[in-house]
């Protein structure tokens, strides 16, 4: 059975989501889109504050460019959705186990033939294809380019959350030297790190411990390799606190690092510092990538720097803006992103230094404070 319940909320968090909704509607109108459909995920959390369950029963937020907002949700999620969707007013449309949820959503979306509908880009294809079948004659596009311009510029509350979670991961990195000893396996170190991350975060997002030649693989999965004297060890860790992510890399050495490593590390440290120092409003994301890349290229490490310089961070650990060669996205106060150049020499070693930084009105504010110097443990 379909049930339509009008819901209203007030409060500071509701005001914040109301202003995000108003800005999204401006973006929709400017882009010529008539409505947007969002499934569970960070776009929905950003817009409505609702951390919905992604499951086979669709939960869909329907936002027409003009007109009332509807949340379509399964009957069994009704109590949660009524409280947790932090919008000033919306219709909660719940469906039962035998209803056609996508047909109900299509009817509630109520957009005419020829209308353009944007769909959040992490919506399950089963839902998108079902909506398309129920709404023939409409035009479809991804909502990614509509939400990203909003999400990539953080407000004061979001920046405070990012600073808190950055402080929490700093605290973990300060304790990493105690965990690294010759003979301990990557997996043992990773388990200790996960426990430390949980102390200051709500959850662990990822733990990379890459030792010796494994450090030449940027996203190495910690394995059974024991740390050995002479290893460089890349430790890249992150978690979530109040919904916002941390992501921070330092490279450590167990005993004396191999020939050539220290000189390469010094070049990396200088490249990372130069890229951070270049951050200011109006500079392009591509220019920041170029600063890091040119410095490493001058040190003979250009080919060993195999990834982009950084990524935005917020509700998602990887989100726009991309600090990517050639990007002409201008940096704007409130953007938060990683600056994480590295070098990776297969069969030998690798290193990366990663901080989260925020673009301020006149420059840059790094959120991570732990030393960039190579920390050598005995
Ligand atoms: Zn990464
Ligand atoms: Zn990272
Ligand atoms: Zn990162």
């Amino acid at each position: 059975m379909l049930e339509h319940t009008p819901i209203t909320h007030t409060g500071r968090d509701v005001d914040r989501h109301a202003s995000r909704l108003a800005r999204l509607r401006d973006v929709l109108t400017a882009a010529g889109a008539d409505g947007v459909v969002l499934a569970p995920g960070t776009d929905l959390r950003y817009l409505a504050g609702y951390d919905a369950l992604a499951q086979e029963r669709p939960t869909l937020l329907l936002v027409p460019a003009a007109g009332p907002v509807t949340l379509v949700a399964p009957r069994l999620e009704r109590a949660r959705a009524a409280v947790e969707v932090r919008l000033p007013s919306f219709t909660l449309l719940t469906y039962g186990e035998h209803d056609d949820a996508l047909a109900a959503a299509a009817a509630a979306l109520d957009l005419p033939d020829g209308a353009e509908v944007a769909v959040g880009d992490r919506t399950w294809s089963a839902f998108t294809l079902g909506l398309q079948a129920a709404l023939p004659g409409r035009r479809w596009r991804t909502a990614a380019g509509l939400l990203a311009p909003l999400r990539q510029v953080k407000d004061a509350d979001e920046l405070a959350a990012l600073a808190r979670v950055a402080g929490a991961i700093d605290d973990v990195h300060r304790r990493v030297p105690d965990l690294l000893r010759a003979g301990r396996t990557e997996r043992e170190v990773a388990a200790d790190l996960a426990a430390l991350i949980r102390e200051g975060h709500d959850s662990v997002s990822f733990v990379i411990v890459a030792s010796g030649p494994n450090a030449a693989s940027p996203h190495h999965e910690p394995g059974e390799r024991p740390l050995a004297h002479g290893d460089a060890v890349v430790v890249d860790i992150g978690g979530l606190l109040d919904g916002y992510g941390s992501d921070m890399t330092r490279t450590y050495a167990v005993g004396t690092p191999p020939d050539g490593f220290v000189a390469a590390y010094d070049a990396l440290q200088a490249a990372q510092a130069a890229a951070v120092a270049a951050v200011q409003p109006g500079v392009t994301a591509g220019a920041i990538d170029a600063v890091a890349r040119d410095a490493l290229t001058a040190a003979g490490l250009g080919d060993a720097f195999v990834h982009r310089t950084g990524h935005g961070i917020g509700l998602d650990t990887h989100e726009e803006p991309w600090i990517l060669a050639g990007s002409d996205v201008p940096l704007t106060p409130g953007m938060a992103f990683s600056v994480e150049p590295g070098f990776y020499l297969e069969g030998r070693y690798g290193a990366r230094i990663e901080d989260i930084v925020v673009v301020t009105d006149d420059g840059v504010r790094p959120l991570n404070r732990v030393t960039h110097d190579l920390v050598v443990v005995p």
Side-chain angles (χ1 to χ4, degrees), residues 206 236-237 247-249 311 340 352 354:
F206 60 91
D236 185 357
I237 49 180
D247 182 4
M248 179 180 179
T249 309
H311 53 84
E340 52 174 308
R352 178 164 66 256
E354 174 179 28

Side-chain angles (χ1 to χ4, degrees), residues 9 28 41 79 86 90 106 109 123 127 138 141 149 158 165 201 203 242 267 298 302 304 307 311 319 365:
H9 290 303
L28 283 176
R86 304 304 291 167
F90 64 100
L109 194 55
T123 306
F127 303 159
R138 280 71 170 180
R141 58 177 286 169
E158 292 183 287
V165 71
H201 295 73
S203 62
D242 301 328
H307 54 73
H311 53 84
E319 60 181 46
R365 179 162 65 102

Side-chain angles (χ1 to χ4, degrees), residues 167-247:
I169 208 71
D170 268 349
D171 288 343
V172 178
H173 265 292
R174 286 193 185 95
R175 295 164 71 178
V176 170
D178 299 334
L179 306 179
L180 302 179
R181 288 294 175 272
R184 301 200 74 202
T185 67
E186 292 173 347
R187 209 190 294 273
E188 286 167 345
V189 173
D192 288 347
L193 284 167
L196 290 179
I197 294 169
R198 270 183 217 103
E199 286 181 13
H201 295 73
D202 297 323
S203 62
V204 179
S205 301
F206 60 91
V207 176
I208 296 171
V209 178
S211 67
N214 290 342
S217 169
H219 283 169
H220 174 71
E221 184 69 23
E224 294 306 327
R225 185 182 184 278
L227 308 192
H229 280 284
D231 281 354
V233 184
V234 171
V235 175
D236 185 357
I237 49 180
L240 291 175
L241 179 61
D242 301 328
Y244 285 79
S246 59
D247 182 4

Side-chain angles (χ1 to χ4, degrees), residues 133-155:
L135 289 168
R138 280 71 170 180
R139 292 169 296 132
W140 301 84
R141 58 177 286 169
T142 166
L146 305 175
L147 269 297
L150 274 58
R151 286 183 52 181
Q152 69 185 358
V153 178
K154 273 66 183 178
D155 65 26

